[in-house]
Amino acid sequence: MRTTEAEQGRAERRQRAAAEIRNMLADLYRGFVSWTSLYGDVDGRYEQDQRERVAGLLNRLSNGYLARSMWLQSGARKSVEDFIKKSENHYSRFCAEIEERGYAQVRSGMANRVSKQLGSLRKDAESELKDGPDGSRLPRWQMRLRRS
């Protein structure tokens, strides 16, 4: 009986950690999308505000992931780490390009890279983080059914 309760507790912590990381992944991705939005104000503080927001979300994900990574399976850890690394690279590159050429000149290219590269990495990480009720990873066919 105690073993079952302990296993349930671990499964619940694993599920909670995965859900929290999924939320942080989605927040960071939305932050990048917002920053690269073609509808944002080119001349105002929009770009700077969005840049700071993305930096904060990236920091939140990096720190939050580290504290929760022990509950994740190795495939999920690798996917999240890949997303974080790519996000950090994009953030640095975008900042440098904006300083060099200006926000108006680079934001459509930024939007394309975010959509193509970060979007697919986010989806991969989120699918790795989907756990079944007992904490085990669902088979791919069940994950597809859940998305439908």
Side-chain angles (χ1 to χ4, degrees), residues 28 32 35 47 51 54-55 58 83-100 106 110 113-114 118:
L28 178 57
F32 269 107
W35 185 19
E47 188 278 324
R51 182 190 304 206
V54 168
L58 186 52
F83 180 84
I84 292 171
K85 184 176 181 179
K86 191 67 145 181
S87 295
E88 289 169 341
N89 289 340
H90 277 313
Y91 179 81
S92 296
R93 187 174 302 135
F94 292 163
C95 290
E97 288 179 18
I98 289 168
E99 296 303 317
E100 183 181 312
V106 299
M110 289 168 53
R113 285 184 274 176
V114 165
L118 288 182

Side-chain angles (χ1 to χ4, degrees), residues 11-140:
E12 288 172 8
R13 285 189 292 274
R14 187 178 305 117
Q15 289 173 342
R16 192 174 335 121
E20 290 170 355
I21 292 170
R22 275 195 310 271
N23 289 337
M24 288 186 274
L25 286 168
D27 288 346
L28 178 57
Y29 180 76
R30 282 191 298 265
F32 269 107
V33 168
S34 229
W35 185 19
T36 64
S37 171
L38 298 177
Y39 302 106
D41 182 16
V42 177
D43 299 322
R45 281 210 31 93
Y46 177 83
E47 188 278 324
Q48 188 62 37
D49 291 344
Q50 293 304 311
R51 182 190 304 206
E52 291 169 6
R53 180 172 175 248
V54 168
L57 292 168
L58 186 52
N59 189 43
R60 180 176 162 242
L61 175 59
S62 295
N63 292 333
Y65 164 73
L66 204 54
R68 292 163 181 84
S69 64
M70 66 179 276
W71 296 107
L72 305 178
Q73 296 174 344
S74 63
R77 284 195 303 269
K78 174 144 177 36
S79 293
V80 173
E81 290 165 6
D82 289 347
F83 180 84
I84 292 171
K85 184 176 181 179
K86 191 67 145 181
S87 295
E88 289 169 341
N89 289 340
H90 277 313
Y91 179 81
S92 296
R93 187 174 302 135
F94 292 163
C95 290
E97 288 179 18
I98 289 168
E99 296 303 317
E100 183 181 312
R101 297 181 14 220
Y103 178 61
Q105 300 299 317
V106 299
R107 74 177 172 177
S108 68
M110 289 168 53
N112 290 335
R113 285 184 274 176
V114 165
S115 177
K116 288 179 183 173
Q117 296 172 5
L118 288 182
S120 63
L121 286 174
R122 188 195 94 228
K123 288 176 187 173
D124 290 346
E126 286 178 345
S127 74
E128 286 287 339
L129 290 167
K130 292 198 183 209
D131 284 343
D134 63 349
S136 63
R137 185 156 152 60
L138 291 173
R140 287 186 190 270

